[in-house]
Amino acid sequence: MSYFSKIRRKLRPCAPAQPAQLQFNNSLDGVPYHSKMADLLGSILNSMEKPPTVGDQESRRKAREQAARLKKMEEDEKRKKAEFRKKMEKEVSDFIQDSAQQKRKYNPMGKIERSILHDVAEVAGLTSFSFGEDEESRYVMLFKKEFAPSDEELEAYRKGEEWDPQLAEQRRRLKEQAAKEAEASQTEKSETCPNSNYRDKYSHLIGTSAAKDAAHTLEANRAYGCVPVANKRDTRSIEEAMNAIRAKKRQKREDDSGVHSSSS
């Protein structure tokens, strides 16, 4: 073997040493370690909020937009009510200061506007009424306290008629005249005789004399064997009645004594 061959043998690399096998305990309390970690990781993931999907994001965006629109509509409605109330307060104030006006009629308006106007009129000390058949045609009328409407005037407005004081006075007079005529006719009917004579109709019960006269007569009705009440009355005094009773008892004792003497 040459010199160089010996050197190559010395320089030949040795086989790499095998690493020591480390032994790990892959179980904990009888449960595999990887199973414990999987359960812990699952509980953490379940507690976390899931990321919103594209559909959820779109629905949330629409809900926010709708809420914003509703809020804006409420604010606009509130602003309109405040403006309308301010306008009605000014008109009612002008109506109160105008001494030539006794009442004021407004154009048809909605239910909310009518309620606001009624409230303003009540605060101002006025009388207010709503008239009209349907909701679209209902309107409000204001009256000053010293010129409050009568029942006839309110009835005319409810019927959709215009109030005319002269025509109302004529109707009132006609009603009074009709009432007087009806009362007079009723009086005449009560004074007139009935169509049939009750004496003839009930003659088999009361006889031919009047019922009033028959009630006070002292004669008995022999046809029926009835005795008038007047014949049943005892007009004697208490002393007279007691004397009569004593006399009857005395007479009875005397009769009894006469019977005993005769028998003996």
Side-chain angles (χ1 to χ4, degrees), residues 55-186:
D56 294 339
Q57 292 178 355
E58 184 68 19
S59 61
R60 291 181 181 180
R61 184 183 64 80
K62 291 182 179 180
R64 288 194 297 269
E65 291 179 355
Q66 185 177 3
R69 286 195 300 270
L70 291 176
K71 185 177 180 180
K72 188 175 183 301
M73 290 174 61
E74 291 178 357
E75 292 177 354
D76 294 343
E77 188 72 18
K78 187 176 180 180
R79 178 179 53 80
K80 290 179 181 179
K81 289 181 181 179
E83 292 177 355
F84 182 78
R85 186 180 184 88
K86 187 176 181 180
K87 179 183 177 182
M88 292 298 102
E89 288 177 352
K90 185 178 182 305
E91 292 184 2
V92 169
S93 178
D94 296 341
F95 169 65
I96 294 174
Q97 294 176 3
D98 190 358
S99 59
Q101 290 186 350
Q102 300 179 0
K103 57 187 177 182
R104 184 166 187 176
K105 179 181 178 181
Y106 285 85
N107 294 327
M109 59 182 66
K111 184 177 181 179
I112 298 176
E113 288 78 6
R114 293 199 308 272
S115 64
I116 294 174
L117 183 53
H118 283 301
D119 187 36
V120 173
E122 183 179 1
V123 173
L126 301 177
T127 304
S128 61
F129 294 93
S130 293
F131 303 102
E133 295 295 334
D134 51 5
E135 186 66 25
E136 297 179 356
S137 63
R138 289 188 69 79
Y139 60 93
V140 178
M141 288 192 68
L142 303 181
F143 300 87
K144 295 181 179 180
K145 290 290 185 179
E146 58 271 20
F147 302 106
S150 60
D151 295 338
E152 292 81 4
E153 185 175 358
L154 293 176
E155 186 66 23
Y157 292 138
R158 292 190 182 98
K159 292 180 179 179
E161 302 174 356
E162 292 294 334
W163 172 248
D164 188 356
Q166 297 180 357
L167 181 60
E169 184 65 21
Q170 293 178 1
R171 290 179 178 176
R172 186 183 63 80
R173 292 178 180 177
L174 291 175
K175 286 183 180 179
E176 290 180 355
Q177 185 177 358
K180 290 180 180 179
E181 292 178 355
E183 184 178 358
S185 62
Q186 188 70 21

Side-chain angles (χ1 to χ4, degrees), residues 198-208 224:
Y198 75 95
R199 295 181 182 179
D200 298 337
K201 186 176 182 180
Y202 299 103
S203 60
H204 63 285
L205 297 177
I206 62 175
T208 57
Y224 296 96

